[in-house]
Amino acid sequence: MSFEDYTKACRLGRKAYQRNLMKGVYPYLQALDETISHVDIISEVDLGLQQIPAELIAGTRNIGRRGAFAPNYMPLLDVQSEFASKWIELCKSHLEEGIHTPVTACEFMGRFYIMEGNKRVSVLKYFGSPTIPGIVTRLVPRRTLDEDNQIYYEYMNFHRLSGVNYILFSRRGGYPALSAAVAGNAAAPWSEEMRQDFSAAYVKFSTNYKAKGGQRLPIEAGDALLAYIEIYGYDSLKEDPGSKVKENIAKSWDEFARLKEHKTVELVMDPVPAAPKKKLIDILLPPSAKQTKIAFIHSKNAELSSWTYAHELGQRHVAEVFGDRVETFSYENITPGEDAQNAIQRSIDNGCTIIFTTTPEFISASIKMAREYPNVKVLNCSLNTSHHNIRSYYGRMYEAKFLCGMIAGALADNNRIGYIADYPIYGTTANINAFALGARMVNPRAKVYLRWSTKKDGIDITDYFRENQISYLSHQDMIVPRYASRRYGLYRFDSGFGFGPEIKETAERKASGETEEAGGQTPFNAATPLWNWGRFYEKIIESIMAGSWNSGDVSDAKALNYWWGLSAGMVDLIYTQNLSYATKRLVEFVRRGIETGTFHPFSGLLYSQTGIVQKDENRALSPEEIITMDWLAENVVGEIPDFDSLTGAAQAVVRLQGIRKPEDAV
């Protein structure tokens, strides 16, 4: 029987040999010594006895025996050779009592290379053993800026925390993101229970992924696993039966296939009138009287949240513009996860074919339900969201903030301006920097004192601004109906004003107002940036009704993100007419420049707190550079908070949309 096994193994080896020859690929085992001949190995680390994943054994340590094996570790030498005799004896031993003697191996860049025991590996691979016991030494390369090297350093940290050696990723951020999903924190060590639960979950996923043909995709299985977890959640992967995981993998296959595209986001910067030509029958027949049902799904309610209130105004605009042609539904106080999925399901059951989810917290639920119902248009209010199943939308608020900063710089009599930000997510840093650059444009001595309402540091924001003698303050961009106040936009800051405890609830309500003005005083409101969601909703709904939703030059491999600004009317700025004539004229001049594209807030020489970031006087930052901006302008006094310093509610949003996610600190 062992002789027949060797003969069969040889056939498998020769097939692999011929296949590689036809592809122009080296037809034998890799030899690590050749691979690392030009690599600076800075240390060797004894990892002890490990269960080596058989599929991650890439070759042999030295060149001596590599010609005896095909790349799949099956034998190539003649059955009459001494090599074949030893292979057959090992085969008999395995069948009778099992091979228990560990091999010795090197681990380099997440893959394993056998130093002693190549024939044992060949036999065990032939019989389909998933793991092979081995004494492992890690070869650590010097740290470089090469992406593969940086991924490997993430791998080493991940292995130290988790003990898991069977997951590979092809891009940075995968290991810490997976660790955060399993352990709750990218820097937390895994318990034995976590390891066992994850092992079972991974086997469930990888079995179905491979059965579907995952090996043929140009990605690592870890990439697909993380994409699955981002959509369905790690708890779902653990608890769902294999049949459900198989079904979800099938639904997510297009997403897996697109992962090699590095999740490219295609930005639509302005509305594009692309209504198709009407067919003759459409001209002769009257339009259908069937209503379009549209849902708006919010995490808070319009009475307490300025963010939700702004979207509600957009919903009212839709009802007024379209009249009887649409029916709108609002779902408020929805929590992320299953509750959001249920809200989307209810809206679909109610006949809604267009669904707007108005917070980044609902990204995962939006993607999952969009896959369940591909004929329903699902749009999520977020920036830089890279999933082709849904579309996302946001506004270039930094344009309005730049104008607001100009007014602040002109009004600040002591050159000190305060700024309250909420989440350190995509777009927020651009808003801060644009405001600071606008202030400096009209007042070179202007400084912007930055505080974050979502930090849990216990520092009283009112006291901070008093101590720094702030004259004007940029706060929330909308009023909160229940807490009617003039503390929004840009207003005169008086040391008698107190924010009270509500300011710490900004993470949950996009900045709270106050129940009353301290001392009965009313702050002077100078300018207010506006979100005009109604303008966006109107144009998008028009495009869907006109049949132009899928028109335009948009690649199927890219996610679509609407990012409109002043030119589209999606953001705006209103200001008091009490400004000086010269200030108003300058603001309007710059506004026209931004709208027409002749002026860009982030053009020319740009300096951060740590040095120059833009040297070319004739260049403007690209949209991608603005969206992912993780630096602060040199005239900003403050910092971007790290993940652990944020409130729990803020951390949930930053995990999805943060410019510095928790894994970045690892």
Side-chain angles (χ1 to χ4, degrees), residues 299-300 359 361 421-423 453-455 502-512 646-651 653:
S299 61
K300 300 300 174 184
T359 170
E361 297 170 283
D422 40 42
Y423 307 108
S453 61
T454 53
K455 287 189 69 174
E502 292 88 351
I503 192 64
K504 281 296 179 185
E505 299 176 22
T506 306
E508 302 175 4
R509 316 198 296 232
K510 283 299 278 190
S512 68
L646 299 170
T647 63
Q651 288 181 351
V653 179

Side-chain angles (χ1 to χ4, degrees), residues 92-109:
K92 290 178 182 178
S93 176
H94 175 69
L95 292 173
E96 291 172 1
E97 58 187 33
I99 295 176
H100 303 295
T101 304
V103 302
T104 58
C106 290
E107 181 263 294
F108 176 71
M109 301 294 282

Side-chain angles (χ1 to χ4, degrees), residues 365-539:
S366 300
I367 295 167
K368 183 175 181 180
M369 298 307 292
R371 288 181 176 169
E372 294 280 347
Y373 299 94
N375 294 324
V376 176
K377 311 287 192 300
V378 181
L379 298 96
N380 176 258
C381 188
S382 59
L383 188 57
N384 210 39
T385 297
S386 51
H387 291 275
H388 74 282
N389 297 90
I390 63 171
R391 297 187 183 184
S392 54
Y393 60 99
Y394 214 71
R396 300 197 298 272
M397 178 54 77
Y398 73 85
E399 295 176 347
K401 291 287 187 179
F402 185 88
L403 301 177
C404 193
M406 291 175 62
I407 295 173
L411 292 177
D413 44 21
N414 65 350
N415 309 319
R416 296 178 173 225
I417 308 161
Y419 192 108
I420 299 178
D422 40 42
Y423 307 108
I425 60 176
Y426 296 129
T428 298
T429 314
N431 292 345
I432 297 166
N433 287 337
F435 182 90
L437 293 175
R440 172 157 286 190
M441 181 179 182
V442 299
N443 183 350
R445 293 178 295 279
K447 289 193 175 295
V448 175
Y449 289 75
L450 172 66
R451 295 298 301 169
W452 297 84
S453 61
T454 53
K455 287 189 69 174
K456 54 186 180 184
D457 55 14
I459 296 176
D460 185 275
I461 291 181
T462 307
D463 289 344
Y464 174 81
F465 288 139
R466 283 198 195 107
E467 291 168 2
N468 286 284
Q469 302 174 359
I470 298 304
S471 56
Y472 276 82
L473 176 64
S474 175
H475 197 178
Q476 65 197 49
D477 297 330
M478 282 287 292
I479 62 171
V480 181
R482 174 178 285 189
Y483 302 113
S485 168
R486 294 193 65 182
R487 284 192 209 119
Y488 63 93
L490 175 70
Y491 60 87
R492 178 82 184 182
F493 178 75
D494 188 292
S495 60
F497 299 156
F499 292 103
E502 292 88 351
I503 192 64
K504 281 296 179 185
E505 299 176 22
T506 306
E508 302 175 4
R509 316 198 296 232
K510 283 299 278 190
S512 68
E514 309 304 316
T515 55
E516 61 181 356
E517 302 292 356
Q521 296 171 309
T522 300
F524 164 65
N525 186 277
T528 303
L530 296 177
W531 290 101
N532 191 356
W533 298 115
R535 172 73 173 172
F536 170 77
Y537 292 138
E538 176 188 348
K539 292 297 181 183

Side-chain angles (χ1 to χ4, degrees), residues 209-224:
Y209 177 71
K210 291 174 183 176
K212 178 72 174 170
Q215 302 95 320
R216 294 190 294 272
L217 295 181
I219 58 172
E220 299 287 357
D223 300 326

Side-chain angles (χ1 to χ4, degrees), residues 166 193-207 234 237-238 240 245:
Y166 49 83
E193 182 180 2
M194 288 176 183
R195 292 188 184 96
Q196 293 178 2
D197 287 347
F198 178 74
S199 177
Y202 179 71
V203 168
K204 190 187 330 181
F205 174 84
S206 61
T207 300
Y234 176 61
L237 176 61
K238 284 196 303 181
D240 286 345
V245 173

Side-chain angles (χ1 to χ4, degrees), residues 165-403:
N165 65 356
Y166 49 83
I167 296 284
L168 293 181
F169 286 94
S170 62
R171 64 191 66 193
R172 285 177 293 170
Y175 289 108
L178 177 61
S179 194
V182 174
N185 188 310
W190 292 23
S191 65
E192 183 58 33
E193 182 180 2
M194 288 176 183
R195 292 188 184 96
Q196 293 178 2
D197 287 347
F198 178 74
S199 177
Y202 179 71
V203 168
K204 190 187 330 181
F205 174 84
S206 61
T207 300
N208 288 287
Y209 177 71
K210 291 174 183 176
K212 178 72 174 170
Q215 302 95 320
R216 294 190 294 272
L217 295 181
I219 58 172
E220 299 287 357
D223 300 326
L225 173 70
L226 189 58
Y228 185 101
I229 291 173
E230 287 174 349
I231 298 165
Y232 299 101
Y234 176 61
D235 289 340
S236 173
L237 176 61
K238 284 196 303 181
E239 297 166 7
D240 286 345
S243 58
K244 182 63 175 176
V245 173
K246 179 181 179 180
E247 179 185 336
N248 289 341
I249 286 175
K251 291 177 181 176
S252 306
W253 201 250
D254 286 346
E255 187 71 26
F256 297 158
R258 287 175 168 85
L259 287 175
K260 192 64 177 177
E261 301 293 329
H262 290 278
K263 295 189 173 183
T264 307
V265 178
E266 183 148 340
L267 294 169
V268 179
M269 306 295 283
D270 283 293
V272 178
K277 294 180 180 179
K278 290 187 177 181
K279 298 178 182 178
L280 179 60
I281 191 171
D282 295 327
I283 298 173
L284 297 176
L285 295 178
S288 170
K290 183 180 178 181
Q291 281 185 321
T292 299
K293 294 185 176 182
I294 306 166
F296 296 82
I297 299 177
H298 311 292
S299 61
K300 300 300 174 184
N301 62 64
E303 189 172 316
L304 294 176
S305 166
S306 62
W307 182 255
T308 301
Y309 179 53
H311 285 279
E312 184 188 69
L313 294 178
Q315 180 179 346
R316 293 178 188 176
H317 177 85
V318 167
E320 292 173 2
V321 169
F322 292 98
D324 294 338
R325 290 187 292 162
V326 304
E327 183 177 3
T328 65
F329 300 84
S330 182
Y331 300 82
E332 296 183 335
N333 298 317
I334 304 299
T335 56
E338 187 174 346
D339 189 28
Q341 294 174 29
N342 291 337
I344 296 172
Q345 184 67 64
R346 291 198 303 273
S347 67
I348 293 172
D349 293 342
N350 206 24
C352 294
T353 56
I354 305 173
I355 299 173
F356 297 101
T357 56
T358 63
T359 170
E361 297 170 283
F362 296 161
I363 290 174
S364 295
S366 300
I367 295 167
K368 183 175 181 180
M369 298 307 292
R371 288 181 176 169
E372 294 280 347
Y373 299 94
N375 294 324
V376 176
K377 311 287 192 300
V378 181
L379 298 96
N380 176 258
C381 188
S382 59
L383 188 57
N384 210 39
T385 297
S386 51
H387 291 275
H388 74 282
N389 297 90
I390 63 171
R391 297 187 183 184
S392 54
Y393 60 99
Y394 214 71
R396 300 197 298 272
M397 178 54 77
Y398 73 85
E399 295 176 347
K401 291 287 187 179
F402 185 88
L403 301 177

Side-chain angles (χ1 to χ4, degrees), residues 595-640:
E595 290 175 344
T596 60
T598 58
F599 176 82
H600 196 293
F602 293 112
S603 60
L605 294 173
L606 297 174
Y607 292 87
S608 73
Q609 293 172 333
T610 57
I612 192 166
V613 294
Q614 163 76 304
K615 298 180 180 179
D616 191 343
E617 295 184 9
N618 299 312
R619 179 183 180 270
L621 295 185
S622 69
E624 291 76 15
E625 288 172 317
I626 296 170
I627 290 170
T628 59
M629 191 178 287
D630 64 351
W631 51 270
L632 293 173
E634 64 174 342
N635 63 322
V636 174
V637 180
E639 72 290 320
I640 300 172

